[in-house]
């Protein structure tokens, strides 16, 4: 079962939480859906102390919610980078160069429609590469997948399969 994790959708509240905890190993997980939907901007990200950003979850969403329940959209239906309205290139430009970035793109409707995990993953990874190439301005970088990138892609593929099993109830 999915555990309940404390989260906030507003950057100022997240900053207040980090300050309150007062530990250097307690940082913000910046989710582009929540940042955008709470009114945050790339300028807000650029204004942050780079050491406060621990991790970034990259996805896209339309300006207006696609589902009536915010949490349903957040947990089950996100768009691949570049397919929604989040200014991802600007957000990527605003990030420190050493921050870890992953893609978080649950797509339950596509899973339930029978789209294989490999197809969904390939589409999302290709979309993320297009956005990062736009942000980097170096197309060659996307064409040269290192062994580390390949290992991360393999892990991502397995994570998506595990996720699909959880949301569809397969394997129970």
């Amino acid at each position: 079962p999915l555990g309940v994790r404390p989260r906030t959708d507003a950057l100022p509240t997240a900053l207040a939480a980090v300050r309150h905890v007062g530990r250097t190993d307690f940082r913000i997980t910046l989710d582009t859906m929540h940042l955008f939907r709470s009114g945050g901007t790339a300028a807000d990200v650029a204004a942050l102390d780079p050491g406060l950003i621990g991790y970034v979850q990259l996805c896209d969403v339309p300006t207006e919610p696609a589902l009536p329940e915010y949490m349903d959209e957040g947990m089950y239906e996100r768009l691949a980078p570049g397919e929604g309205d989040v200014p991802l290139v600007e957000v990527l430009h605003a990030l420190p160069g050493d921050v870890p970035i992953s893609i978080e793109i649950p797509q339950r409707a596509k899973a339930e429609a029978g789209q294989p995990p490999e197809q969904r993953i390939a589409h999302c990874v290709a979309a993320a590469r297009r956005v990062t190439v736009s942000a980097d301005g170096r197309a060659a970088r996307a064409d040269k997948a290192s062994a580390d990138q390949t290992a991360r892609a393999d892990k991502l593929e397995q994570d998506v399969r595990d996720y699909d099993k959880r949301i569809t109830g397969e394997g129970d």
Side-chain angles (χ1 to χ4, degrees), residues 3-161:
V4 176
R5 296 183 185 157
R7 69 168 183 82
T8 178
D9 298 332
L11 194 52
T13 305
L15 287 170
V18 169
R19 287 188 193 105
H20 177 75
V21 171
R23 293 178 51 145
T24 58
D25 62 345
F26 186 79
R27 299 184 199 143
I28 295 171
T29 296
L30 193 69
D31 182 303
T32 55
M33 174 187 174
H34 302 310
L35 173 73
F36 180 68
R37 289 280 178 81
S38 69
T41 66
D44 295 332
V45 174
L48 289 173
D49 172 349
L52 294 178
I53 304 171
Y55 174 67
V56 175
Q57 294 173 329
L58 190 68
C59 73
D60 217 334
V61 291
T63 300
E64 294 300 318
L67 299 175
E69 293 295 326
Y70 183 82
M71 287 302 295
D72 285 345
E73 185 175 17
M75 291 177 62
Y76 305 119
E77 296 299 336
R78 298 188 188 200
L79 300 175
E83 295 180 354
D85 298 318
V86 177
L88 295 173
V89 171
E90 290 82 1
V91 170
L92 290 170
H93 274 289
L95 291 170
D98 61 346
V99 68
I101 300 172
S102 72
I103 56 176
E104 181 181 18
I105 312 166
Q107 298 180 329
R108 178 171 60 184
K110 289 182 179 184
E112 289 174 346
Q115 190 178 59
E118 298 85 357
Q119 190 175 12
R120 292 191 314 275
I121 292 166
H123 173 75
C124 292
V125 169
R129 283 188 176 148
R130 283 191 298 275
V131 168
T132 56
V133 166
S134 294
D136 285 342
R138 294 183 293 233
R141 184 173 177 176
D143 294 333
K144 295 181 180 180
S146 68
D148 190 42
Q149 289 170 320
T150 301
R152 283 186 290 216
D154 291 344
K155 174 145 180 23
L156 173 65
E157 182 175 317
Q158 185 59 51
D159 288 349
V160 170
R161 284 185 185 165

